[in-house]
Amino acid sequence: METKPPVPRAILVGIQLPGVDDAAHAASLQELARLVKTLGYEVAGTMSQKRDSVGGGTVLGSGRLKDLAALTGGTGVVGSMAAAQTSKARARFADTAEAAPDLPPVEPDPAAAPKPDFVIVDHDISPSQARNLERATGAQVLDRTGVIVEIFHQHAHSREAKLQVEMARLKYVAPRLRESAAGGGRQQGPGAGESDLALDRRKIRDRLAELSAQLADIQRDHDQRRSARSDQLRVALVGYTNAGKSSLMRALTGSQVLVEDKLFATLDTTVRALQPETRPRVLVSDTVGFIKKLPHDLVASFRSTLAEALDASLLLFVVDASDPTYDSQLEVSRAVLREIGADVVPSRLLLNKIDRVSAAERAALRAKHPDAILLSAKSPEDVAALRETIIAFFEGAMVEERLVLPYAKQGLLGEVYETARVLSEDYDAAGRILKVRGLPGAIARLRRALAAP
Ligand SMILES: Nc1nc2c(ncn2[C@@H]2O[C@H](COP(=O)(O)OP(=O)(O)OP(=O)(O)O)[C@@H](O)[C@H]2O)c(=O)[nH]1
Ligand SMILES: [Mg+2]
């Protein structure tokens, strides 16, 4: 068996832009630290600088860049060939995680921990900025999007999620491949770099086309299943990552979906029936979480995963109320929902993890969000009350009607019981007379089935 590779160590770099206060800046870096840990890396340190923009060739000013390079064992100078790298983007693309940095020997320092292997920037940076930073620090450079894309890559399980992530990953890696390789220093035969590059680009283009085609197939499948479910009672749990969506899913449905104190534990939509089961039953979906600066390609990729949930009649919008930055979580989630066109679906705000919030803060939350439900996924009473709220929502939308099931159509009885609540049964010469309660669409579909020859 292969031995376990050492845990990569990373230094985080944040730029505090004008208009971003200290608390928001610190929270963003803290979130990046959680992302980096989720990826399986160790955070060796954090460095930040106030600047007017994230523009500029090296993101950091020259002084801070030298400080950073001192930690990573680089030269601190972009022009130096000392830290010339093989293409890290290419290495990642080829899935060879252990691309050994080709570093010059550094002054031995017996007290020092191993040099960090990664510099991770809390903003999206351009491929050439990444290349410059790699040259100056001798470390591999990732940005926030790169980290999120890698986490999604590690966590994708279903075929659809894997295809979606591969697509987002190729789109992220492709431009870096170009810039990195052009930056040169590749130790290969003459000319090998260029032709390799053209080949890689063509391969990526072909693969992207192939992926879109495969995804379109899966999509068609899903659309069929979705339209079959269209008049079912559906609720979707949506919201920021780690807010407690899967915990509520478990509590509401008794299912064993993954719950973890990690960002992006869930990538696939899961659908289960509300427990104890109701008549007609209510289906609950658990979905992928949102995050600040969610890469656009990932939003696009996951639109279909989310679309399934967004067919719901009711969105349960989950927020971690114990997070000091819950306000910005709320904003980000709203923005993503708008982006995928889900802001028109009726929703209820759930302020979760209320067990971690003081009485005074609870009162403040109630005053600020009078329509919200304050709850803890860990409290059975709260979950029972949420279940009642869900049921009440659908009760309000249901109508009572009378159906006649001719004796020749008794085979449809099971379907009637599936899609509506049967209040009474009687018989006359025409057949079975049923008084039912259900969603208007579901009853219309039953009528059509009953009327069919
Ligand atoms: N104290 C407390 N912890 C909670 C509550 N709900 C969830 N948690 C914890 O919060 C962490 C994240 O919970 P999940 O249910 O996995 O969150 P999620 O929204 O599904 O997260 P992703 O799938 O990563 O987007 C876990 O450690 C849960 O045990 C709650 O009401 N109170
Ligand atoms: Mg989850």
Side-chain angles (χ1 to χ4, degrees):
M1 294 261 50
E2 58 190 284
T3 55
K4 227 173 148 197
V7 175
R9 306 178 78 241
I11 302 243
L12 312 188
V13 173
I15 302 297
Q16 188 172 354
L17 297 170
V20 176
D21 65 27
D22 291 354
H25 179 64
S28 184
L29 274 171
Q30 246 167 43
E31 185 175 85
L32 181 67
R34 293 201 62 199
L35 286 168
V36 167
K37 280 180 210 153
T38 297
L39 196 54
Y41 295 4
E42 186 188 322
V43 175
T46 300
M47 175 174 286
S48 56
Q49 185 172 31
K50 284 192 172 144
R51 304 203 86 191
D52 286 341
S53 76
V54 193
T58 55
V59 184
L60 289 166
S62 61
R64 291 306 266 161
L65 185 61
K66 286 226 164 67
D67 295 344
L68 178 63
L71 296 171
T72 56
T75 59
V77 187
V78 174
S80 161
M81 285 310 288
Q85 298 289 303
T86 54
S87 164
K88 301 304 184 188
R90 184 183 296 263
R92 277 200 297 281
F93 170 55
D95 244 342
T96 50
E98 287 322 288
D102 197 357
L103 293 179
V106 287
E107 251 65 63
D109 179 354
K115 298 282 184 211
D117 321 85
F118 282 89
V119 166
I120 300 183
V121 184
D122 191 24
H123 302 268
D124 287 340
I125 59 174
S126 73
S128 65
Q129 285 177 314
R131 188 190 67 220
N132 288 340
L133 275 176
E134 289 193 349
R135 289 175 137 204
T137 61
Q140 297 189 47
V141 173
L142 275 179
D143 61 10
R144 195 177 235 266
T145 297
V147 172
I148 294 173
V149 168
E150 287 307 306
I151 293 174
F152 274 59
H153 178 62
Q154 283 179 358
H155 289 194
H157 290 299
S158 74
R159 192 167 115 78
E160 184 177 22
K162 281 187 172 148
L163 294 174
Q164 286 167 336
V165 171
E166 188 182 346
M167 207 154 161
R169 203 164 174 247
L170 285 178
K171 286 185 184 165
Y172 177 77
V173 170
R176 280 154 182 83
L177 196 63
R178 175 177 67 237
E179 293 274 352
S180 261
R186 303 197 68 221
Q187 280 130 17
Q188 282 199 6
E194 261 315 304
S195 55
D196 264 12
L197 186 61
L199 191 68
D200 285 350
R201 280 204 215 141
R202 191 157 357 100
K203 270 195 202 149
I204 288 180
R205 235 188 354 258
D206 292 352
R207 181 66 186 146
L208 279 172
E210 202 179 324
L211 287 169
S212 321
Q214 290 178 4
L215 274 169
D217 274 356
I218 295 181
Q219 195 80 48
R220 252 191 309 281
D221 242 46
H222 278 196
D223 285 350
Q224 274 161 15
R225 258 185 287 159
R226 275 165 61 194
S227 67
R229 279 202 298 247
S230 64
D231 34 55
Q232 289 181 326
L233 280 50
R234 300 183 55 123
V235 188
L237 293 154
V238 296
Y240 211 75
T241 183
N242 210 52
K245 300 177 295 300
S246 297
S247 304
L248 286 167
M249 176 76 177
R250 278 188 171 213
L252 287 169
T253 67
S255 64
Q256 293 300 308
V257 295
L258 180 70
V259 168
E260 259 189 308
D261 195 12
K262 271 193 172 176
L263 303 180
F264 300 117
T266 306
L267 285 192
D268 289 309
T269 300
T270 313
V271 182
R272 296 278 184 280
L274 184 68
Q275 295 291 337
E277 252 190 55
T278 53
R279 287 259 171 214
R281 56 189 193 147
V282 173
L283 297 180
V284 186
S285 319
D286 184 18
T287 62
V288 58
F290 309 141
I291 199 162
K292 277 191 258 311
K293 306 174 194 161
L294 189 67
H296 199 85
D297 281 332
L298 276 181
V299 176
S301 300
F302 278 83
R303 199 183 298 262
S304 66
T305 308
L306 281 165
E308 168 136 0
L310 300 175
D311 277 348
S313 313
L314 175 64
L315 295 184
L316 298 176
F317 188 172
V318 189
V319 172
D320 176 353
S322 73
D323 185 320
T325 67
Y326 89 94
D327 243 351
S328 76
Q329 288 195 11
L330 200 61
E331 265 322 295
V332 169
S333 309
R334 285 216 172 101
V336 179
L337 288 175
R338 257 197 311 276
E339 194 172 345
I340 59 177
D343 49 339
V344 294
V345 183
S347 67
R348 287 299 300 266
L349 179 61
L350 306 190
L351 298 175
N352 189 35
K353 306 199 191 180
I354 211 71
D355 53 298
R356 292 215 213 137
V357 173
S358 72
E361 283 172 289
R362 281 185 204 195
L365 286 170
R366 274 206 188 89
K368 199 164 167 198
H369 304 283
D371 296 331
I373 299 173
L374 276 61
L375 84 171
S376 165
K378 308 212 169 198
S379 150
E381 299 83 66
D382 288 358
V383 172
L386 176 60
R387 180 176 176 276
E388 291 309 317
T389 304
I390 296 169
I391 293 171
F393 173 85
F394 286 110
E395 266 323 309
M398 285 197 263
V399 292
E400 257 176 54
E401 292 205 32
R402 184 172 170 276
L403 291 177
V404 181
L405 196 67
Y407 288 110
K409 293 253 179 167
Q410 294 306 308
L412 287 173
L413 189 61
E415 200 175 325
V416 174
Y417 272 88
E418 259 309 289
T419 42
R421 185 184 320 140
V422 177
L423 302 173
S424 67
E425 275 195 41
D426 256 314
Y427 304 89
D428 73 4
R432 205 185 289 245
I433 314 295
L434 301 165
K435 222 164 101 194
V436 299
R437 192 170 165 79
L439 292 181
I443 293 179
R445 188 164 58 83
L446 283 176
R447 280 201 192 288
R448 277 198 300 280
L450 288 171

